[in-house]
Amino acid sequence: PYAPVRSLVSLTSRNCRATPLIPAHLTTLRKQGAFVQLVEERALPDGGLDGCRVLLIENAPCLSGRSNAAIGTFVEAGGLLIAAPETALYDEIGRPRPRSAHWAMLGLSQAPLEPARRGGGEALAAMSPVSWDDFAERLQAARFVVDPPVDVALVPYRDDQGRFVVYVCAEKPLPANLRITAPGGVAGRAILCSPDEPQPRIIDLSR
């Protein structure tokens, strides 16, 4: 799977603080062609951020110390973190902390409204929902251009030679002249799946 941008899902925050499970920015970004993969908090300490370049956190007021440490390692290693100011204000069982353990873990006294360098990466606070317009340039590595614009779900993979294989799934018929361009114009193929065609249609990615 090709997933340079990931969005955190926190079951603990949903259970303890009744926050929405699916972040609001997910649909917005995917409609702009940016494929964002979900990652569950429990996966973070066990390689859940391997291959990730940008981590988005919108609904995670409850985070464990292990999750915080994994996020810190991700930033130090060169990752970009964009998180809501209230991230980790509570622990993993919903108990309030004096201040966000998340930002404190990064050595910050408060949520940074401007990018703060930490190790090889950056951390930035963003108000919910995360805006595509504010971060479009930083998310280009995950953006697939669909022309003409249609409402589809993209699921990209890369083979061992770096070529893309992108599943394009639609609930309505797709245009016959549909063009898909991968980030950087990388070569590959798109597999088009729509309800009006009994078999998937395969096209080359535009370059």
Side-chain angles (χ1 to χ4, degrees):
Y2 181 71
V5 179
R6 297 179 200 172
S7 181
L8 187 66
V9 169
S10 172
L11 292 172
T12 301
S13 297
R14 191 273 308 273
N15 293 339
C16 294
R17 302 297 302 172
T19 59
L21 188 61
I22 304 301
H25 64 255
L26 190 68
T27 299
T28 301
L29 294 180
R30 286 186 173 178
K31 284 185 176 180
Q32 295 288 345
F35 176 72
V36 181
Q37 186 178 67
L38 294 175
V39 58
E40 215 279 307
E41 179 194 344
R42 291 174 296 181
L44 297 185
D46 301 315
L49 294 177
D50 291 351
C52 180
R53 295 166 59 178
V54 182
L55 176 63
L56 307 176
I57 304 177
E58 183 173 335
N59 302 323
C62 303
L63 280 183
S64 70
R66 290 188 70 213
S67 297
N68 260 328
I71 294 169
T73 299
F74 162 76
V75 175
E76 292 282 343
L80 170 63
L81 169 69
I82 302 172
E86 62 273 15
T87 300
L89 278 174
Y90 303 84
D91 68 12
E92 61 270 27
I93 61 173
R95 295 175 299 192
R97 291 172 165 136
R99 63 190 181 107
S100 167
H102 179 70
W103 302 114
M105 170 270 304
L106 292 169
L108 301 169
S109 59
Q110 60 185 5
L113 298 181
E114 296 294 332
R117 296 290 304 180
R118 283 297 175 270
E122 289 182 309
L124 175 65
M127 301 302 292
S128 301
V130 176
S131 166
W132 164 260
D133 293 331
D134 292 343
F135 305 110
E137 184 176 345
R138 294 175 177 269
L139 303 183
Q140 285 298 328
R143 191 181 186 203
F144 292 77
V145 178
V146 180
D147 182 37
V150 290
D151 191 7
V152 297
L154 300 174
V155 184
Y157 294 81
R158 292 188 85 161
D159 64 20
D160 55 6
Q161 297 182 16
R163 297 169 301 194
F164 278 109
V165 177
V166 184
Y167 286 88
V168 182
C169 305
E171 295 181 354
K172 297 180 181 180
L174 292 171
N177 62 339
L178 188 70
R179 293 163 54 91
I180 309 290
T181 306
V186 175
R189 290 188 170 185
I191 302 172
L192 310 183
C193 306
S194 65
D196 61 318
E197 300 185 42
Q199 298 294 329
R201 175 163 46 107
I202 300 176
I203 63 172
D204 290 327
L205 296 176
S206 300
R207 303 183 68 178

